[in-house]
Amino acid sequence: MDLIETFFRTVYNVPELIRLGGMTGLILVVFAETGLMVGFFLPGDSLLVTAGLFAARGDLDIAWLNVALCVAAIIGDATGYWIGYRAGKALYSRPNSFFFRREHLIKTHEFYELHGGKTIVIARFMPIIRTFAPVVAGAASMTYKRFAAYNIAGGIAWVLSMTLTGYFLGRSVPNIDKNLHLLVAGVIFLSLLPAIIAYLRGRLQARSATPTAG
């Protein structure tokens, strides 16, 4: 348990994670969060924004950062697609484990049914959903050519929007690194906001659809 607690404490201490892992660590986290179902808990948005802040103060090169992470995000989603394509419907009967939650897959499937191919782009900006969206697309047998177009567009848009937000904040806001924990908390909240809104909207719709007694 101590080892697990230390692991998660390190993972969610985003600045320390970047200091320890450097560019290689960033690439591995982005790939795992977008390409491997076990990566759903990893800090994607906050990691990218913080990496942009590190680049603003000269610790990372912003150009190489974006090239490397765009490639990692695109390859990650492609890997998720092929996992879903190969495993297909069997994934939906897979038992829950520490690193796999079937309900995440089901919710992503419902999201995919609602938004279609656009899910691959939209999901990039939604934690957990972005991990399972390419898997669902593969399981649903979306043609790879169509998937690849959404994957490339979504991957580039996600990485650039996050890293450049951090970069320009770092260049324009004095001493922002002293309040880095507040910025990271804000990014995490904003990234979870769409899921919170969707959950509350679903609860309201379910309540309004329930017939009242009498």
Side-chain angles (χ1 to χ4, degrees):
M1 280 301 294
D2 289 341
L3 185 62
I4 293 173
E5 287 178 11
T6 301
F7 172 75
F8 279 101
R9 194 159 47 241
T10 302
V11 165
Y12 287 105
N13 185 349
V14 177
E16 188 64 21
L17 183 63
I18 296 174
R19 291 189 192 99
L20 291 173
M23 184 72 82
T24 302
L26 285 165
I27 292 170
L28 290 175
V29 170
V30 169
F31 171 79
E33 202 215 3
T34 56
L36 306 177
M37 288 183 290
V38 297
F40 68 88
F41 63 88
L42 294 170
D45 297 330
S46 56
L47 186 79
L48 295 180
V49 172
T50 307
L53 284 171
F54 272 61
R57 66 188 193 187
D59 295 330
L60 296 167
D61 182 276
I62 189 63
W64 282 113
L65 177 71
N66 283 321
V67 169
L69 297 188
C70 282
V71 171
I74 292 167
I75 294 176
D77 256 31
T79 302
Y81 172 90
W82 288 112
I83 289 172
Y85 187 81
R86 295 286 184 183
K89 303 300 181 184
L91 282 171
Y92 292 92
S93 57
R94 178 178 171 178
N96 284 332
S97 65
F98 185 79
F99 286 112
F100 175 79
R101 308 301 300 176
R102 191 168 59 251
E103 57 264 30
H104 293 160
L105 189 68
I106 293 169
K107 287 178 182 177
T108 305
H109 178 78
E110 292 170 352
F111 194 87
Y112 179 84
E113 290 294 313
L114 182 63
H115 297 285
K118 292 181 295 184
T119 298
I120 308 305
V121 176
I122 299 170
R124 288 286 191 177
F125 300 88
M126 302 177 68
I128 299 177
I129 296 290
R130 70 168 150 259
T131 303
F132 291 93
V135 178
V136 168
S141 298
M142 176 190 282
T143 62
Y144 186 73
K145 183 177 180 180
R146 183 166 176 246
F147 170 82
Y150 287 116
N151 179 21
I152 293 169
I156 293 173
W158 177 54
V159 170
L160 292 184
S161 65
M162 295 295 155
T163 58
L164 292 181
T165 295
Y167 183 78
F168 287 117
L169 281 173
R171 296 295 293 266
S172 59
V173 180
N175 301 318
I176 192 171
D177 54 332
K178 293 182 179 179
N179 296 300
L180 197 54
H181 61 292
L182 295 176
L183 177 64
V184 170
V187 171
I188 292 172
F189 173 75
L190 289 175
S191 64
L192 292 173
L193 193 57
I196 294 171
I197 293 172
Y199 171 77
L200 293 176
R201 185 180 296 164
R203 289 293 300 271
L204 287 173
Q205 288 175 347
R207 186 175 297 177
S208 62
T210 303
T212 56

